[in-house]
Amino acid sequence: MAFLQSLQGAPAYALVAGVLAASGFGLPVNEDILLMVAAALTLHGVMEPLPLVASAWCGVLCADALIFHWGHRFGARLLQHRWAARMLPPDRLAVLQATMRRWGPAYLCLVRFLPGMRSALLFAAGSMKIPYRHLVLFDGGAGLVELPLLIYAVRLVGGRWQDILAAVQRWQSILLPAALLVAAGVWLGLWLRRRRQGRGS
């Protein structure tokens, strides 16, 4: 926070965009916490909300687009390399492709809210040759919803943002698995219903 505050202006926005882009490739920086800190600086006039939203959106979309492009350009061939296959086994890619095929390009909206699975799902979507415009439309559109909500929520709570940040750090290890468990339960329920409908028909 002190480093961002010392930069101010365009370098601060560029740093936020760069770190968000790098976090998509494994840099151990939590996107939400970084954005909360940056949003807190808008309360002190170091940055402005709308340019922060724009720079954050460019950062996250840059990382997503490059992973999507790797899938589009190389597909399953990339997974022949040992290091790539360790991160995304070919059989796992097939499962993710089946999921994308079942739900269509609009599933990319949900990808933005699945940090633990986002890279693999984006690679799978790219490997299926889904048009780039769908990435911008659905993944980028979800970012235009998520990022302003997070930034303006920090501005809304004002001076209490540090308490909220501490709570996020404290409960994140519990809330994220719980959210993924709920999502898995919803998916399982939908899958069972579709299976029953298929048997009935």
Side-chain angles (χ1 to χ4, degrees):
M1 182 175 181
F3 185 55
L4 274 175
Q5 196 163 3
S6 68
L7 290 176
Q8 300 193 8
Y13 297 121
L15 178 62
V16 170
V19 172
L20 286 173
S23 69
F25 300 102
L27 183 72
V29 174
N30 185 284
E31 291 183 3
D32 294 336
I33 292 176
L34 173 63
L35 283 170
M36 288 179 70
V37 170
L41 292 178
T42 66
L43 297 168
H44 302 288
V46 177
M47 289 187 280
E48 295 297 324
L50 289 180
L52 177 58
V53 169
S55 59
W57 185 83
C58 290
V60 297
L61 192 65
C62 175
D64 290 354
L66 188 53
I67 295 170
F68 183 87
H69 173 71
W70 286 341
H72 210 281
R73 177 71 176 82
F74 301 107
R77 288 184 293 122
L78 185 64
L79 303 183
Q80 293 174 1
H81 296 276
R82 188 185 308 170
W83 63 269
R86 191 178 297 118
M87 290 188 292
L88 181 61
D91 56 340
R92 176 64 175 158
L93 176 63
V95 171
L96 294 174
Q97 287 175 333
T99 301
M100 293 297 305
R101 203 172 289 114
R102 182 180 302 117
W103 300 106
Y107 191 72
L108 289 170
C109 284
L110 185 61
V111 168
R112 174 108 297 275
F113 304 98
L114 299 174
M117 302 172 57
R118 188 163 74 237
S119 296
L121 284 166
L122 286 168
F123 186 89
S127 69
M128 294 173 63
K129 308 299 183 185
I130 292 176
Y132 287 92
R133 64 178 180 273
H134 288 158
L135 175 74
V136 177
L137 177 63
F138 295 113
D139 183 48
L144 288 177
V145 173
E146 178 199 18
L147 299 174
L149 282 176
L150 182 60
I151 290 169
Y152 279 95
V154 172
R155 289 178 58 82
L156 182 65
V157 299
R160 294 186 54 220
W161 73 271
Q162 289 176 312
D163 297 333
I164 295 174
L165 177 59
V168 169
Q169 291 174 315
R170 190 180 309 115
W171 293 103
Q172 192 169 42
S173 60
I174 298 174
L175 293 178
L176 182 57
L180 292 175
L181 186 61
V182 170
V186 171
W187 178 84
L188 181 61
L190 291 172
W191 180 78
L192 289 173
R193 187 174 68 179
R194 289 164 66 95
R195 189 175 179 182
R196 290 193 207 102
Q197 291 174 348
R199 287 178 176 175
S201 62

